Amino acid sequence: MRELLIIAVGAAFINNVVLSQFLGICAFVGVSKKTETAAGMGAAVVFVITISSLVAGLIYKYILVPLDVTYLQTIVFILVIAALVQFVEMIVKKYSRSLYNALGVYLPLITTNCAVLGVALINVTKSYSILEGVVNGFATAVGFLISIVLMAGIREKTEYNDIPESFKGSPIVLLTACLMAIAFFGFSGLK
């Protein structure tokens, strides 16, 4: 149990997928304009990463390793992720049309979000058991959710501030992301 807690805290805060490993930056910057949209994207990523960690772990352990075709892991993981994203897209489109429209192109881009694939590959690289992989995936996704919602909240607040012309738009967003990364670096003392 202690090991699972260490994995969870490490994945969510210390090795935050966006602010420490710089994976998933496209969605992080693109969808973090409104808190509601960021929370919706974060929830979708939590679902996709958690389920893909489980399914990819099962496929890797019970199909790829016994058949000695582990070199196919990246292709198989991408197919699993793409299928899950299609499922999430259908659900969001059916039950929350406004969120579907707000997420726009970023929802199907979860398929190519390197954070999602990165988690599946990290689980294999670190030889996590299926349970450890799911915990790592869930905690990583929660870290993504925390990061994107914090960024959206900050962006909403700075929208009405008097920002110098040279910092408006992308520069202030990237500077904010840098400061958030520095703040999350403070969690590295928790090891």
Side-chain angles (χ1 to χ4, degrees):
M1 188 64 171
R2 184 172 187 261
E3 183 67 29
L4 294 177
L5 183 62
I6 290 170
I7 290 171
V9 170
F13 297 109
I14 298 167
N15 297 317
N16 185 284
V17 71
V18 175
L19 301 173
S20 174
Q21 299 176 17
F22 309 113
L23 299 175
I25 296 290
C26 177
F28 177 71
V29 172
V31 182
S32 63
K33 293 178 183 166
K34 300 268 185 223
T35 308
E36 296 157 358
T37 309
M41 174 60 101
V45 168
V46 167
F47 177 80
V48 169
I49 289 181
T50 304
I51 301 301
S52 69
S53 294
L54 174 65
V55 174
L58 290 170
I59 289 172
Y60 184 80
K61 183 174 182 176
Y62 294 111
I63 297 174
L64 298 179
V65 171
L67 294 176
D68 195 30
V69 289
T70 55
Y71 57 88
L72 295 174
Q73 70 187 12
T74 304
I75 295 169
V76 171
F77 294 168
I78 289 172
L79 291 174
V80 167
I81 292 164
L84 287 169
V85 169
Q86 288 301 311
F87 176 72
V88 168
E89 188 174 5
M90 289 186 308
I91 297 296
V92 170
K93 187 175 184 179
K94 182 171 182 159
Y95 293 108
S96 182
R97 181 62 89 165
S98 62
L99 179 60
Y100 177 78
N101 291 334
L103 291 175
V105 71
Y106 293 102
L107 187 57
L109 281 178
I110 293 175
T111 302
T112 59
N113 187 335
C114 52
V116 182
L117 179 59
V119 170
L121 294 173
I122 287 169
N123 289 342
V124 169
T125 303
K126 291 190 175 183
S127 301
Y128 283 152
S129 68
I130 293 172
L131 177 61
E132 290 172 335
V134 170
V135 168
N136 181 54
F138 177 75
T140 299
V142 168
F144 179 87
L145 172 68
I146 291 168
S147 302
I148 198 168
V149 169
L150 281 174
M151 175 60 98
I154 292 169
R155 286 181 76 175
E156 284 180 353
K157 293 291 185 188
T158 59
E159 184 178 337
Y160 302 108
N161 291 347
D162 187 26
I163 298 171
E165 192 64 37
S166 60
F167 281 105
K168 288 186 179 178
S170 295
I172 195 69
V173 173
L174 295 175
L175 184 61
T176 303
C178 282
L179 293 173
M180 287 177 62
I182 291 169
F184 269 69
F185 183 69
F187 289 118
S188 63
L190 294 175
K191 284 186 179 180

